[in-house]
Amino acid sequence: MDSVGVFGRTVADAVHGLDVIADRDEEDPMTHNCPNHNIKYSKHLASRTALKGAKFGLPWSHCWNCISPQRKDVALRVFEAIEAAGAEIIRTDFPCAEDRIAPDGSWDWKRGEVAESEFTVVMTDAYNDINAYLSQLSDTSVKLVDDIVRFNIKNTGTEGARPGDIPAFSSGQDDLHQVLNSQGRKDTAYHKAFQHTQYQCREQGIDAALRFNCADSDGVEFDALLLCDHKGAGQQLAAQAGYPIVTIPIGLDSHGLPVGLSFQHRAWEEQTLIKWASAVEDLVREVQGWRPTPEYRNFRSKNIPVDPID
């Protein structure tokens, strides 16, 4: 399962928070492989002048070609500014796009056969990790995934256990039922799915897109990948690969909704992403000023059920 990192008003705010929490965690085996626990991430913050000579890859298939015209307009203005600052943005692709990303570019964690699906791994890990977390809590009777399921059923009006109770979870807690049914078994299907998703999202995904081979040259090693990642494909690949990703706001679309630009790289390259994200953020602020506030239009509106007429 992926882990949500730090949030901040700016890249610098988030990085200062990362400096405080980043270290070896005895309860998180992933941190044991970090090559440098003493790195000071704030030293890698950069200004827009760092963009000169940089080369960025723009994953195309199932990514950029699936972005709405309104969001593309926002991103293209930023891309023009990045190129004017001396950087290059070059089309690339994830070789795993057909396997891991839905045709419309959306995140689908149940995509593929059982032995290839991200959800096969998520079900098992969620069961084991949630139970481990709950077991450490005091002053609560909720100690297992089973308890969460029963609580949601008892309070379905607020928790959305049944389909249709809450619009945000139209199918109810069906995913949680599948987590419960997995019983945390790391069987053959689990191990195959884990190996498949990591290989596809690392070697055939982010690693390959960073080393894009051009037909008319010896190839390009990109400084980072850029994704205008509204539908979540970039986050999906990074999560399955276990790689870092940084997202910054770059403007609003025609509906007043925020548009983000994500930066991707390999494992333990947080400092690289911090450099480029902070440099582009500085550039966007120079070109556009302080970012506009999202306009959550019609947020008080109510959906009125309408029966279709045959």
Side-chain angles (χ1 to χ4, degrees), residues 32-197:
H32 302 176
N33 301 321
C34 180
N36 185 0
H37 287 290
N38 298 316
I39 190 169
K40 190 75 171 176
Y41 291 110
S42 56
K43 291 183 178 180
H44 296 273
L45 292 166
S47 69
R48 57 189 177 275
T49 58
L51 293 168
K52 187 174 183 179
K55 289 183 171 63
F56 298 114
L58 181 67
W60 202 271
S61 178
H62 295 228
C63 295
W64 178 252
N65 66 348
C66 294
I67 302 302
S68 68
Q70 297 93 336
R71 290 178 175 271
K72 277 187 177 178
D73 287 344
V74 176
L76 284 172
R77 290 195 292 271
V78 174
F79 290 171
E80 290 173 1
I82 291 173
E83 291 177 328
E88 293 182 69
I89 299 175
I90 302 170
R91 175 175 172 171
T92 187
D93 269 312
F94 297 120
C96 70
E98 292 288 338
D99 181 88
R100 304 315 303 160
I101 307 174
D104 66 351
S106 61
W107 173 36
D108 179 7
W109 64 354
K110 296 182 180 179
R111 184 171 177 78
E113 301 295 327
V114 172
E116 299 177 349
S117 171
E118 176 189 9
F119 194 64
T120 301
V121 178
V122 169
M123 284 190 301
T124 299
D125 287 352
Y127 182 89
N128 293 326
D129 293 347
I130 291 173
N131 280 351
Y133 168 74
L134 293 175
S135 69
Q136 301 176 41
L137 300 183
S138 58
D139 300 323
T140 178
S141 60
V142 178
K143 296 293 185 180
L144 299 167
V145 173
D146 312 53
D147 299 329
I148 297 176
V149 170
R150 283 194 293 269
F151 178 88
N152 290 346
I153 293 173
K154 185 178 179 179
N155 301 277
T156 188
T158 56
E159 304 305 318
R162 297 177 306 193
D165 281 341
I166 295 179
F169 301 99
S170 58
S171 60
Q173 62 174 356
D174 52 336
D175 286 347
L176 195 54
H177 280 293
Q178 289 184 264
V179 169
L180 178 59
N181 291 338
S182 77
Q183 291 295 298
R185 292 185 297 269
K186 294 189 177 182
D187 53 16
T188 300
Y190 169 88
H191 289 291
K192 285 185 176 179
F194 182 82
Q195 292 168 2
H196 180 80
T197 54

Side-chain angles (χ1 to χ4, degrees), residues 18-35:
L18 183 61
D19 274 339
V20 173
I21 67 172
D23 203 346
R24 180 185 175 93
D25 185 345
E26 295 305 324
E27 296 185 4
D28 184 358
M30 284 293 292
T31 65
H32 302 176
N33 301 321
C34 180

